Amino acid sequence: MSFVLTLIADPARQTLDAALLDAAGAALSEAGATPGSRDWLAEGTALDITLDTADPAKAEAALRARLAGAPVDMAIQKPEGRRKKLLLADMDSTIVTSETLDELAAYAGLKEKIAAITARSMNGEIDFATALRERVAMLKGLSADALDRTYEGVELTPGARTLVQTMRANGARTALVSGGFTWFTGKVRERCGFHLDRANVLNVEAGVLTGTVAEPILDRDAKLAALNELAAELSIGTQAAVTVGDGANDLAMLKAAGLGVAFRAKPIVAAEARFRVDHTDLTALLYYQGYKKDELVG
């Protein structure tokens, strides 16, 4: 069967040079796959290779084993329908580099304590909604000014704006769907250019946090529901969507999408997601869709 293999290198540490491509070709051949034509998406950095194989999972496993240690991301997929019509993205540790709730907690002197709960939740060790309510309750009485100060330190992940702007320029619908808070997602939506954002509402009264979050909680199930809803609005299947996230509450939407990408993800997510980006930035999602460097926007 015909597939396309996409290889993407971190240009600061590695190029897709002849030695690396020879090693990749040998690994594929040993796995019973036949590499074919090459098409550079970004010279030396991102490459499509046609691939004839009856077992793409075996081919990918062999390739990962051979290139272990090299800062190279990869995906094997069918060539049809690679360019997606819908993007759903998680925010914390995906579109932005930080966990905004953890950073907010720093202003209450609770960052370490709350970050430990966040880590357990993102690793799937505890229920997301329960963990969110517990963490927010610890912030009761914190001045709402801390929200502004937290946002001042928020940084976009490299490639985030380019991902959103390129997909928008090519007619895709883009949504930021987060288990975080609308106070942050609204600002990040405008900064990146997402069409819409959804998140939890942090309750504030008289200028201070009440220690509560509005119900219902936007969790794993709500993210999947958003994917299904937005796909239905566009009259497309979820196979025509790309989703990206890093935590356990993203897994359902990652598994349901045609291109569900675990981005620098927690171990449970990286292990279960079909596609991964471990080394490069968010432009990898565009290269996985077959975009070339000169097509990238922003």
Side-chain angles (χ1 to χ4, degrees):
M1 296 179 65
S2 179
F3 294 85
V4 59
L5 161 66
T6 306
L7 297 174
I8 310 168
D10 174 0
R13 295 183 289 164
Q14 175 74 58
T15 59
L16 300 179
D17 57 22
L20 187 144
L21 294 177
D22 287 345
L28 292 168
S29 296
E30 291 170 6
T34 304
S37 62
R38 298 177 178 180
D39 182 18
W40 284 105
L41 305 175
E43 189 71 30
T45 299
L47 176 68
D48 273 353
I49 303 174
T50 59
L51 194 64
D52 186 25
T53 178
D55 192 343
K58 180 180 179 181
E60 183 174 333
L63 192 55
R64 288 190 181 280
R66 181 64 63 92
L67 300 184
V72 176
D73 289 312
M74 65 191 71
I76 298 176
Q77 57 189 309
K78 289 287 188 65
E80 300 81 15
R82 286 176 71 191
R83 292 204 176 184
K84 305 306 182 185
K85 299 177 181 179
L86 174 63
L87 165 68
L88 260 73
D90 173 47
M91 182 179 70
D92 293 316
S93 298
T94 301
I95 293 297
V96 304
T97 60
S98 58
E99 290 286 338
T100 49
L101 178 52
D102 295 354
E103 298 307 315
L104 179 61
Y107 292 98
L110 294 169
K111 181 175 180 178
E112 185 175 335
K113 185 174 183 179
I114 284 181
I117 300 172
T118 299
R120 292 181 63 206
S121 176
M122 292 300 97
N123 282 319
E125 298 172 15
I126 52 178
D127 174 70
F128 176 83
T130 300
L132 183 65
R133 293 187 191 101
E134 180 183 355
R135 288 173 290 165
V136 170
M138 295 180 190
L139 301 181
K140 183 177 180 178
L142 180 66
S143 171
D145 292 344
L147 292 165
D148 292 298
R149 287 180 284 165
T150 298
Y151 183 71
E152 288 174 0
V154 169
E155 297 181 1
L156 295 181
T157 300
R161 181 173 167 79
T162 298
L163 169 63
V164 177
Q165 292 295 319
T166 301
M167 292 196 67
R168 281 194 65 147
N170 285 272
R173 189 75 168 163
T174 59
L176 185 64
V177 182
S178 171
F181 305 118
T182 55
W183 200 93
F184 296 111
T185 59
K187 293 175 172 57
V188 173
R189 169 180 55 78
E190 293 178 358
R191 197 163 158 188
C192 284
F194 284 96
H195 286 99
L196 61 98
D197 66 285
R198 294 183 183 180
N200 292 299
V201 177
L202 189 62
N203 292 326
V204 178
E205 293 181 4
V208 298
L209 277 62
T210 66
T212 62
V213 60
E215 300 287 340
I217 301 294
L218 196 158
D219 59 6
R220 172 181 176 141
D221 292 339
K223 289 190 175 191
L224 177 59
L227 170 62
N228 290 325
E229 176 192 330
L230 294 172
E233 288 179 4
L234 295 172
S235 299
I236 61 174
T238 57
Q239 288 300 301
V242 52
T243 55
V244 59
D246 71 301
N249 64 326
D250 298 311
L251 261 175
M253 73 171 186
L254 297 185
K255 290 183 176 181
L259 181 62
V261 181
F263 182 75
R264 301 181 185 176
K266 309 304 183 287
I268 187 175
V269 183
E272 295 190 28
R274 172 65 187 86
F275 300 96
R276 291 160 41 190
V277 171
D278 299 324
H279 306 288
T280 54
D281 66 26
L282 285 167
T283 58
L285 275 67
L286 296 169
Y287 293 133
Y288 282 173
Q289 294 178 74
Y291 285 95
K292 294 193 174 185
K293 185 177 181 180
D294 61 8
E295 296 179 276
L296 305 191
V297 178

mmCIF file with all atom_site columns, all heavy atoms in Angstrom, residues 24 30 62-63 66 93 103 127 134 155 159 180 184 230 233 236 239 253 270 292-293:
data_model
loop_
_atom_site.group_PDB
_atom_site.id
_atom_site.type_symbol
_atom_site.label_atom_id
_atom_site.label_alt_id
_atom_site.label_comp_id
_atom_site.label_asym_id
_atom_site.label_entity_id
_atom_site.label_seq_id
_atom_site.pdbx_PDB_ins_code
_atom_site.Cartn_x
_atom_site.Cartn_y
_atom_site.Cartn_z
_atom_site.occupancy
_atom_site.B_iso_or_equiv
_atom_site.pdbx_formal_charge
_atom_site.auth_seq_id
_atom_site.auth_comp_id
_atom_site.auth_asym_id
_atom_site.auth_atom_id
_atom_site.pdbx_PDB_model_num
ATOM 1   N N   . ALA A 1 24  ? 17.903  5.893  7.362  1.00 0.00 ? 24  ALA A N   1
ATOM 2   C CA  . ALA A 1 24  ? 16.455  5.739  7.337  1.00 0.00 ? 24  ALA A CA  1
ATOM 3   C C   . ALA A 1 24  ? 16.042  4.744  6.267  1.00 0.00 ? 24  ALA A C   1
ATOM 4   O O   . ALA A 1 24  ? 15.190  3.869  6.498  1.00 0.00 ? 24  ALA A O   1
ATOM 5   C CB  . ALA A 1 24  ? 15.793  7.094  7.093  1.00 0.00 ? 24  ALA A CB  1
ATOM 6   N N   . GLU A 1 30  ? 14.739  -2.987 5.815  1.00 0.00 ? 30  GLU A N   1
ATOM 7   C CA  . GLU A 1 30  ? 14.774  -4.122 6.735  1.00 0.00 ? 30  GLU A CA  1
ATOM 8   C C   . GLU A 1 30  ? 13.389  -4.449 7.283  1.00 0.00 ? 30  GLU A C   1
ATOM 9   O O   . GLU A 1 30  ? 13.100  -5.588 7.647  1.00 0.00 ? 30  GLU A O   1
ATOM 10  C CB  . GLU A 1 30  ? 15.746  -3.834 7.879  1.00 0.00 ? 30  GLU A CB  1
ATOM 11  C CG  . GLU A 1 30  ? 17.210  -3.811 7.447  1.00 0.00 ? 30  GLU A CG  1
ATOM 12  C CD  . GLU A 1 30  ? 18.126  -3.286 8.538  1.00 0.00 ? 30  GLU A CD  1
ATOM 13  O OE1 . GLU A 1 30  ? 17.644  -3.054 9.663  1.00 0.00 ? 30  GLU A OE1 1
ATOM 14  O OE2 . GLU A 1 30  ? 19.338  -3.116 8.262  1.00 0.00 ? 30  GLU A OE2 1
ATOM 15  N N   . ALA A 1 62  ? 10.674  0.600  13.157 1.00 0.00 ? 62  ALA A N   1
ATOM 16  C CA  . ALA A 1 62  ? 12.044  0.340  12.723 1.00 0.00 ? 62  ALA A CA  1
ATOM 17  C C   . ALA A 1 62  ? 12.806  1.643  12.510 1.00 0.00 ? 62  ALA A C   1
ATOM 18  O O   . ALA A 1 62  ? 13.983  1.772  12.876 1.00 0.00 ? 62  ALA A O   1
ATOM 19  C CB  . ALA A 1 62  ? 12.036  -0.480 11.435 1.00 0.00 ? 62  ALA A CB  1
ATOM 20  N N   . LEU A 1 63  ? 12.117  2.619  11.947 1.00 0.00 ? 63  LEU A N   1
ATOM 21  C CA  . LEU A 1 63  ? 12.748  3.907  11.690 1.00 0.00 ? 63  LEU A CA  1
ATOM 22  C C   . LEU A 1 63  ? 13.080  4.633  12.992 1.00 0.00 ? 63  LEU A C   1
ATOM 23  O O   . LEU A 1 63  ? 14.167  5.186  13.146 1.00 0.00 ? 63  LEU A O   1
ATOM 24  C CB  . LEU A 1 63  ? 11.801  4.755  10.840 1.00 0.00 ? 63  LEU A CB  1
ATOM 25  C CG  . LEU A 1 63  ? 12.345  6.025  10.209 1.00 0.00 ? 63  LEU A CG  1
ATOM 26  C CD1 . LEU A 1 63  ? 13.582  5.737  9.378  1.00 0.00 ? 63  LEU A CD1 1
ATOM 27  C CD2 . LEU A 1 63  ? 11.256  6.679  9.358  1.00 0.00 ? 63  LEU A CD2 1
ATOM 28  N N   . ARG A 1 66  ? 16.112  3.006  14.560 1.00 0.00 ? 66  ARG A N   1
ATOM 29  C CA  . ARG A 1 66  ? 17.370  3.316  13.874 1.00 0.00 ? 66  ARG A CA  1
ATOM 30  C C   . ARG A 1 66  ? 17.814  4.752  14.117 1.00 0.00 ? 66  ARG A C   1
ATOM 31  O O   . ARG A 1 66  ? 19.018  5.025  14.243 1.00 0.00 ? 66  ARG A O   1
ATOM 32  C CB  . ARG A 1 66  ? 17.190  3.077  12.367 1.00 0.00 ? 66  ARG A CB  1
ATOM 33  C CG  . ARG A 1 66  ? 18.460  3.347  11.537 1.00 0.00 ? 66  ARG A CG  1
ATOM 34  C CD  . ARG A 1 66  ? 19.589  2.390  11.893 1.00 0.00 ? 66  ARG A CD  1
ATOM 35  N NE  . ARG A 1 66  ? 19.243  1.031  11.591 1.00 0.00 ? 66  ARG A NE  1
ATOM 36  C CZ  . ARG A 1 66  ? 19.515  0.422  10.440 1.00 0.00 ? 66  ARG A CZ  1
ATOM 37  N NH1 . ARG A 1 66  ? 20.167  1.066  9.485  1.00 0.00 ? 66  ARG A NH1 1
ATOM 38  N NH2 . ARG A 1 66  ? 19.176  -0.837 10.255 1.00 0.00 ? 66  ARG A NH2 1
ATOM 39  N N   . SER A 1 93  ? 1.123   24.537 27.529 1.00 0.00 ? 93  SER A N   1
ATOM 40  C CA  . SER A 1 93  ? 2.214   23.637 27.136 1.00 0.00 ? 93  SER A CA  1
ATOM 41  C C   . SER A 1 93  ? 2.055   23.121 25.708 1.00 0.00 ? 93  SER A C   1
ATOM 42  O O   . SER A 1 93  ? 2.693   22.141 25.328 1.00 0.00 ? 93  SER A O   1
ATOM 43  C CB  . SER A 1 93  ? 2.353   22.461 28.110 1.00 0.00 ? 93  SER A CB  1
ATOM 44  O OG  . SER A 1 93  ? 2.676   22.916 29.407 1.00 0.00 ? 93  SER A OG  1
ATOM 45  N N   . GLU A 1 103 ? 1.472   29.195 36.782 1.00 0.00 ? 103 GLU A N   1
ATOM 46  C CA  . GLU A 1 103 ? 2.106   30.516 36.855 1.00 0.00 ? 103 GLU A CA  1
ATOM 47  C C   . GLU A 1 103 ? 1.263   31.467 37.683 1.00 0.00 ? 103 GLU A C   1
ATOM 48  O O   . GLU A 1 103 ? 1.795   32.296 38.434 1.00 0.00 ? 103 GLU A O   1
ATOM 49  C CB  . GLU A 1 103 ? 2.323   31.068 35.446 1.00 0.00 ? 103 GLU A CB  1
ATOM 50  C CG  . GLU A 1 103 ? 3.248   30.224 34.574 1.00 0.00 ? 103 GLU A CG  1
ATOM 51  C CD  . GLU A 1 103 ? 4.574   29.932 35.228 1.00 0.00 ? 103 GLU A CD  1
ATOM 52  O OE1 . GLU A 1 103 ? 5.184   30.876 35.799 1.00 0.00 ? 103 GLU A OE1 1
ATOM 53  O OE2 . GLU A 1 103 ? 5.021   28.768 35.186 1.00 0.00 ? 103 GLU A OE2 1
ATOM 54  N N   . ASP A 1 127 ? -8.368  12.578 38.139 1.00 0.00 ? 127 ASP A N   1
ATOM 55  C CA  . ASP A 1 127 ? -9.423  13.141 37.311 1.00 0.00 ? 127 ASP A CA  1
ATOM 56  C C   . ASP A 1 127 ? -9.185  14.633 37.070 1.00 0.00 ? 127 ASP A C   1
ATOM 57  O O   . ASP A 1 127 ? -8.902  15.393 38.009 1.00 0.00 ? 127 ASP A O   1
ATOM 58  C CB  . ASP A 1 127 ? -10.775 12.932 38.008 1.00 0.00 ? 127 ASP A CB  1
ATOM 59  C CG  . ASP A 1 127 ? -11.909 13.611 37.275 1.00 0.00 ? 127 ASP A CG  1
ATOM 60  O OD1 . ASP A 1 127 ? -12.253 13.135 36.173 1.00 0.00 ? 127 ASP A OD1 1
ATOM 61  O OD2 . ASP A 1 127 ? -12.430 14.608 37.796 1.00 0.00 ? 127 ASP A OD2 1
ATOM 62  N N   . GLU A 1 134 ? -9.794  21.524 42.769 1.00 0.00 ? 134 GLU A N   1
ATOM 63  C CA  . GLU A 1 134 ? -8.897  21.537 43.929 1.00 0.00 ? 134 GLU A CA  1
ATOM 64  C C   . GLU A 1 134 ? -7.874  22.658 43.818 1.00 0.00 ? 134 GLU A C   1
ATOM 65  O O   . GLU A 1 134 ? -7.631  23.395 44.779 1.00 0.00 ? 134 GLU A O   1
ATOM 66  C CB  . GLU A 1 134 ? -8.194  20.184 44.052 1.00 0.00 ? 134 GLU A CB  1
ATOM 67  C CG  . GLU A 1 134 ? -7.224  20.091 45.224 1.00 0.00 ? 134 GLU A CG  1
ATOM 68  C CD  . GLU A 1 134 ? -6.490  18.752 45.283 1.00 0.00 ? 134 GLU A CD  1
ATOM 69  O OE1 . GLU A 1 134 ? -6.805  17.852 44.475 1.00 0.00 ? 134 GLU A OE1 1
ATOM 70  O OE2 . GLU A 1 134 ? -5.588  18.618 46.143 1.00 0.00 ? 134 GLU A OE2 1
ATOM 71  N N   . GLU A 1 155 ? 4.321   33.166 26.868 1.00 0.00 ? 155 GLU A N   1
ATOM 72  C CA  . GLU A 1 155 ? 5.027   33.150 25.587 1.00 0.00 ? 155 GLU A CA  1
ATOM 73  C C   . GLU A 1 155 ? 4.406   32.120 24.659 1.00 0.00 ? 155 GLU A C   1
ATOM 74  O O   . GLU A 1 155 ? 4.063   31.008 25.082 1.00 0.00 ? 155 GLU A O   1
ATOM 75  C CB  . GLU A 1 155 ? 6.506   32.811 25.790 1.00 0.00 ? 155 GLU A CB  1
ATOM 76  C CG  . GLU A 1 155 ? 7.269   33.837 26.612 1.00 0.00 ? 155 GLU A CG  1
ATOM 77  C CD  . GLU A 1 155 ? 8.730   33.471 26.764 1.00 0.00 ? 155 GLU A CD  1
ATOM 78  O OE1 . GLU A 1 155 ? 9.147   32.422 26.214 1.00 0.00 ? 155 GLU A OE1 1
ATOM 79  O OE2 . GLU A 1 155 ? 9.458   34.218 27.433 1.00 0.00 ? 155 GLU A OE2 1
ATOM 80  N N   . GLY A 1 159 ? 6.258   28.575 16.287 1.00 0.00 ? 159 GLY A N   1
ATOM 81  C CA  . GLY A 1 159 ? 5.438   27.977 15.233 1.00 0.00 ? 159 GLY A CA  1
ATOM 82  C C   . GLY A 1 159 ? 3.947   28.090 15.463 1.00 0.00 ? 159 GLY A C   1
ATOM 83  O O   . GLY A 1 159 ? 3.159   27.779 14.555 1.00 0.00 ? 159 GLY A O   1
ATOM 84  N N   . GLY A 1 180 ? -7.918  25.284 30.464 1.00 0.00 ? 180 GLY A N   1
ATOM 85  C CA  . GLY A 1 180 ? -7.543  26.459 31.240 1.00 0.00 ? 180 GLY A CA  1
ATOM 86  C C   . GLY A 1 180 ? -8.695  27.441 31.336 1.00 0.00 ? 180 GLY A C   1
ATOM 87  O O   . GLY A 1 180 ? -9.861  27.033 31.389 1.00 0.00 ? 180 GLY A O   1
ATOM 88  N N   . PHE A 1 184 ? -7.394  33.782 29.742 1.00 0.00 ? 184 PHE A N   1
ATOM 89  C CA  . PHE A 1 184 ? -6.162  33.643 28.973 1.00 0.00 ? 184 PHE A CA  1
ATOM 90  C C   . PHE A 1 184 ? -6.436  33.268 27.512 1.00 0.00 ? 184 PHE A C   1
ATOM 91  O O   . PHE A 1 184 ? -5.784  33.783 26.607 1.00 0.00 ? 184 PHE A O   1
ATOM 92  C CB  . PHE A 1 184 ? -5.246  32.598 29.614 1.00 0.00 ? 184 PHE A CB  1
ATOM 93  C CG  . PHE A 1 184 ? -4.765  32.967 30.982 1.00 0.00 ? 184 PHE A CG  1
ATOM 94  C CD1 . PHE A 1 184 ? -5.206  32.265 32.098 1.00 0.00 ? 184 PHE A CD1 1
ATOM 95  C CD2 . PHE A 1 184 ? -3.883  34.012 31.175 1.00 0.00 ? 184 PHE A CD2 1
ATOM 96  C CE1 . PHE A 1 184 ? -4.777  32.603 33.371 1.00 0.00 ? 184 PHE A CE1 1
ATOM 97  C CE2 . PHE A 1 184 ? -3.439  34.369 32.451 1.00 0.00 ? 184 PHE A CE2 1
ATOM 98  C CZ  . PHE A 1 184 ? -3.894  33.654 33.554 1.00 0.00 ? 184 PHE A CZ  1
ATOM 99  N N   . LEU A 1 230 ? -17.741 21.013 15.907 1.00 0.00 ? 230 LEU A N   1
ATOM 100 C CA  . LEU A 1 230 ? -17.188 21.897 14.888 1.00 0.00 ? 230 LEU A CA  1
ATOM 101 C C   . LEU A 1 230 ? -17.057 21.187 13.545 1.00 0.00 ? 230 LEU A C   1
ATOM 102 O O   . LEU A 1 230 ? -17.261 21.791 12.487 1.00 0.00 ? 230 LEU A O   1
ATOM 103 C CB  . LEU A 1 230 ? -15.838 22.445 15.348 1.00 0.00 ? 230 LEU A CB  1
ATOM 104 C CG  . LEU A 1 230 ? -15.912 23.383 16.562 1.00 0.00 ? 230 LEU A CG  1
ATOM 105 C CD1 . LEU A 1 230 ? -14.516 23.712 17.071 1.00 0.00 ? 230 LEU A CD1 1
ATOM 106 C CD2 . LEU A 1 230 ? -16.669 24.663 16.213 1.00 0.00 ? 230 LEU A CD2 1
ATOM 107 N N   . GLU A 1 233 ? -20.473 21.236 12.033 1.00 0.00 ? 233 GLU A N   1
ATOM 108 C CA  . GLU A 1 233 ? -20.796 22.557 11.500 1.00 0.00 ? 233 GLU A CA  1
ATOM 109 C C   . GLU A 1 233 ? -20.184 22.770 10.123 1.00 0.00 ? 233 GLU A C   1
ATOM 110 O O   . GLU A 1 233 ? -20.755 23.467 9.275  1.00 0.00 ? 233 GLU A O   1
ATOM 111 C CB  . GLU A 1 233 ? -20.303 23.647 12.452 1.00 0.00 ? 233 GLU A CB  1
ATOM 112 C CG  . GLU A 1 233 ? -21.104 23.774 13.738 1.00 0.00 ? 233 GLU A CG  1
ATOM 113 C CD  . GLU A 1 233 ? -20.563 24.857 14.652 1.00 0.00 ? 233 GLU A CD  1
ATOM 114 O OE1 . GLU A 1 233 ? -19.608 25.550 14.249 1.00 0.00 ? 233 GLU A OE1 1
ATOM 115 O OE2 . GLU A 1 233 ? -21.092 24.997 15.775 1.00 0.00 ? 233 GLU A OE2 1
ATOM 116 N N   . ILE A 1 236 ? -17.959 18.068 7.746  1.00 0.00 ? 236 ILE A N   1
ATOM 117 C CA  . ILE A 1 236 ? -16.804 17.209 7.473  1.00 0.00 ? 236 ILE A CA  1
ATOM 118 C C   . ILE A 1 236 ? -16.741 16.137 8.558  1.00 0.00 ? 236 ILE A C   1
ATOM 119 O O   . ILE A 1 236 ? -17.345 16.261 9.616  1.00 0.00 ? 236 ILE A O   1
ATOM 120 C CB  . ILE A 1 236 ? -15.469 18.003 7.466  1.00 0.00 ? 236 ILE A CB  1
ATOM 121 C CG1 . ILE A 1 236 ? -15.233 18.655 8.843  1.00 0.00 ? 236 ILE A CG1 1
ATOM 122 C CG2 . ILE A 1 236 ? -15.467 19.035 6.352  1.00 0.00 ? 236 ILE A CG2 1
ATOM 123 C CD1 . ILE A 1 236 ? -13.867 19.335 8.973  1.00 0.00 ? 236 ILE A CD1 1
ATOM 124 N N   . GLN A 1 239 ? -11.961 12.951 10.494 1.00 0.00 ? 239 GLN A N   1
ATOM 125 C CA  . GLN A 1 239 ? -10.731 12.590 9.793  1.00 0.00 ? 239 GLN A CA  1
ATOM 126 C C   . GLN A 1 239 ? -10.158 13.790 9.047  1.00 0.00 ? 239 GLN A C   1
ATOM 127 O O   . GLN A 1 239 ? -8.981  13.790 8.677  1.00 0.00 ? 239 GLN A O   1
ATOM 128 C CB  . GLN A 1 239 ? -10.995 11.441 8.818  1.00 0.00 ? 239 GLN A CB  1
ATOM 129 C CG  . GLN A 1 239 ? -11.233 10.103 9.496  1.00 0.00 ? 239 GLN A CG  1
ATOM 130 C CD  . GLN A 1 239 ? -10.042 9.668  10.336 1.00 0.00 ? 239 GLN A CD  1
ATOM 131 O OE1 . GLN A 1 239 ? -8.928  9.522  9.820  1.00 0.00 ? 239 GLN A OE1 1
ATOM 132 N NE2 . GLN A 1 239 ? -10.259 9.463  11.625 1.00 0.00 ? 239 GLN A NE2 1
ATOM 133 N N   . MET A 1 253 ? -9.562  13.663 21.904 1.00 0.00 ? 253 MET A N   1
ATOM 134 C CA  . MET A 1 253 ? -9.632  14.415 20.645 1.00 0.00 ? 253 MET A CA  1
ATOM 135 C C   . MET A 1 253 ? -8.453  14.068 19.722 1.00 0.00 ? 253 MET A C   1
ATOM 136 O O   . MET A 1 253 ? -8.583  14.138 18.500 1.00 0.00 ? 253 MET A O   1
ATOM 137 C CB  . MET A 1 253 ? -9.709  15.923 20.894 1.00 0.00 ? 253 MET A CB  1
ATOM 138 C CG  . MET A 1 253 ? -8.446  16.604 21.353 1.00 0.00 ? 253 MET A CG  1
ATOM 139 S SD  . MET A 1 253 ? -8.668  18.426 21.337 1.00 0.00 ? 253 MET A SD  1
ATOM 140 C CE  . MET A 1 253 ? -6.984  18.973 21.734 1.00 0.00 ? 253 MET A CE  1
ATOM 141 N N   . ALA A 1 270 ? 2.073   10.442 24.667 1.00 0.00 ? 270 ALA A N   1
ATOM 142 C CA  . ALA A 1 270 ? 3.000   10.067 23.595 1.00 0.00 ? 270 ALA A CA  1
ATOM 143 C C   . ALA A 1 270 ? 2.871   8.594  23.243 1.00 0.00 ? 270 ALA A C   1
ATOM 144 O O   . ALA A 1 270 ? 2.994   8.206  22.076 1.00 0.00 ? 270 ALA A O   1
ATOM 145 C CB  . ALA A 1 270 ? 4.436   10.396 24.008 1.00 0.00 ? 270 ALA A CB  1
ATOM 146 N N   . LYS A 1 292 ? 4.587   23.254 2.121  1.00 0.00 ? 292 LYS A N   1
ATOM 147 C CA  . LYS A 1 292 ? 5.991   23.560 1.891  1.00 0.00 ? 292 LYS A CA  1
ATOM 148 C C   . LYS A 1 292 ? 6.357   24.884 2.560  1.00 0.00 ? 292 LYS A C   1
ATOM 149 O O   . LYS A 1 292 ? 5.489   25.698 2.857  1.00 0.00 ? 292 LYS A O   1
ATOM 150 C CB  . LYS A 1 292 ? 6.273   23.621 0.384  1.00 0.00 ? 292 LYS A CB  1
ATOM 151 C CG  . LYS A 1 292 ? 6.113   22.258 -0.283 1.00 0.00 ? 292 LYS A CG  1
ATOM 152 C CD  . LYS A 1 292 ? 6.690   22.231 -1.677 1.00 0.00 ? 292 LYS A CD  1
ATOM 153 C CE  . LYS A 1 292 ? 6.641   20.818 -2.244 1.00 0.00 ? 292 LYS A CE  1
ATOM 154 N NZ  . LYS A 1 292 ? 7.300   20.716 -3.583 1.00 0.00 ? 292 LYS A NZ  1
ATOM 155 N N   . LYS A 1 293 ? 7.656   25.072 2.794  1.00 0.00 ? 293 LYS A N   1
ATOM 156 C CA  . LYS A 1 293 ? 8.122   26.233 3.535  1.00 0.00 ? 293 LYS A CA  1
ATOM 157 C C   . LYS A 1 293 ? 7.631   27.536 2.945  1.00 0.00 ? 293 LYS A C   1
ATOM 158 O O   . LYS A 1 293 ? 7.248   28.466 3.656  1.00 0.00 ? 293 LYS A O   1
ATOM 159 C CB  . LYS A 1 293 ? 9.656   26.219 3.603  1.00 0.00 ? 293 LYS A CB  1
ATOM 160 C CG  . LYS A 1 293 ? 10.238  27.338 4.460  1.00 0.00 ? 293 LYS A CG  1
ATOM 161 C CD  . LYS A 1 293 ? 11.751  27.227 4.555  1.00 0.00 ? 293 LYS A CD  1
ATOM 162 C CE  . LYS A 1 293 ? 12.328  28.332 5.446  1.00 0.00 ? 293 LYS A CE  1
ATOM 163 N NZ  . LYS A 1 293 ? 13.810  28.222 5.546  1.00 0.00 ? 293 LYS A NZ  1
#
